[in-house]
Amino acid sequence: MTTALREELCRIGHSLYARGLTFGSSGNISVRRPEGGWIVTPTNVAMGDLDPGQLSILDENGNWIEGPKPTKETFLHTAMYGARRDAGAVVHLHSTHSVAVSVLEDIDPADVLPAITAYYVMKVGALRLIPYFRPGDPALGSTVAGFAAKHHALLLANHGPVVAGADLRSAQYATEELEETAKLFLLLQGHKIRPLTPAQAEALKTRP
Ligand SMILES: O=C(O)[C@@H](O)C(=O)COP(=O)(O)O
Ligand SMILES: [Zn+2]
């Protein structure tokens, strides 16, 4: 099982990198292990170079116990899991349009992007903006912990998205949907838009 999870994590990292959704050695991914603890990406490794045999292992307390040195955002991932007991995976990227939106003045920190499409509402919901912290600053962990229970998708100001999902695929797809919606939002700047109404958005919470 762990071997399959390691391979899946790397396949997703390679795919994200190949499609230009994160660059250089930016971004990090983690997944919960069925036997306890987490598999996380090592620090300073490009998503395109992830190797299933070279991933970091954390125990159930978030301590590094095996493999190469984990991402410097380990506390960010563990803060997400701490607040969301149902989360099985977390993805953080530097996807361009999401980062661009994170820099805009006059966005609503409680709900950064309008409900442009149904798919966005279903995959992301209310996107919370987190104030700027230097990457790797442990103070980011406590701030994130305060919002993550209500929001599985967070946008770190002047940095990028962090998204939790039930499993790797869910976290990946939600992060990709966030990036595409950020792109649409930027494309629509200067245009009058007609987002979904609150009633239309609310109706998406129940399955047809
Ligand atoms: O922006 C940063 O520096 C980190 O958040 C990041 O994306 C990559 O850091 P590592 O995972 O430690 O390589
Ligand atoms: Zn980052």
Side-chain angles (χ1 to χ4, degrees):
M1 181 63 181
T2 298
T3 305
L5 274 182
R6 283 173 177 265
E7 286 169 356
E8 187 184 8
L9 187 156
C10 292
R11 259 199 318 275
I12 288 172
H14 296 169
S15 166
L16 292 167
Y17 189 84
R19 289 179 291 138
L21 285 156
T22 206
F23 304 88
S25 65
S26 67
N28 26 76
I29 304 178
S30 61
V31 62
R32 195 189 287 274
R33 297 197 310 168
E35 64 268 47
W38 291 272
I39 304 172
V40 301
T41 49
T43 190
N44 285 324
V45 174
M47 292 278 164
D49 292 336
L50 289 174
D51 173 346
Q54 289 297 314
L55 296 172
S56 316
I57 304 296
L58 310 179
D59 67 14
E60 42 286 323
N61 299 313
N63 298 312
W64 172 32
I65 52 167
E66 200 185 307
K69 189 175 178 194
T71 172
K72 63 176 169 299
E73 309 287 25
T74 293
F75 63 87
L76 173 60
H77 290 248
T78 52
M80 293 291 276
Y81 291 112
R84 305 190 66 84
R85 297 293 168 179
D86 58 342
V90 172
V91 171
H92 162 58
L93 301 179
H94 291 191
S95 34
T96 305
H97 301 88
S98 304
V99 177
V101 166
S102 84
V103 178
L104 291 176
E105 280 279 2
D106 299 330
I107 46 177
D108 177 1
D111 194 2
V112 174
L113 291 170
I116 295 176
T117 65
Y119 202 68
Y120 175 74
V121 173
M122 292 188 289
K123 296 287 169 192
V124 178
L127 176 66
R128 175 78 217 187
L129 184 74
I130 303 295
Y132 174 77
F133 287 85
R134 175 187 167 155
D137 182 345
L140 176 59
S142 47
T143 306
V144 159
F147 290 110
K150 281 203 173 151
H151 301 265
H152 70 282
L154 304 171
L155 186 61
L156 310 180
N158 305 72
H159 187 168
V162 188
V163 181
D167 51 31
L168 278 166
R169 286 287 173 199
S170 308
Q172 174 198 356
Y173 294 158
T175 314
E176 292 188 17
E177 182 57 19
L178 166 48
E179 171 60 6
E180 286 307 303
T181 305
K183 188 174 175 180
L184 288 172
F185 179 68
L186 294 171
L187 274 171
L188 289 166
Q189 293 295 297
H191 297 270
K192 276 192 163 178
I193 70 163
R194 181 178 30 75
L196 300 193
T197 64
Q200 287 168 332
E202 190 60 32
L204 293 165
K205 291 183 185 162
T206 52
R207 290 182 182 277

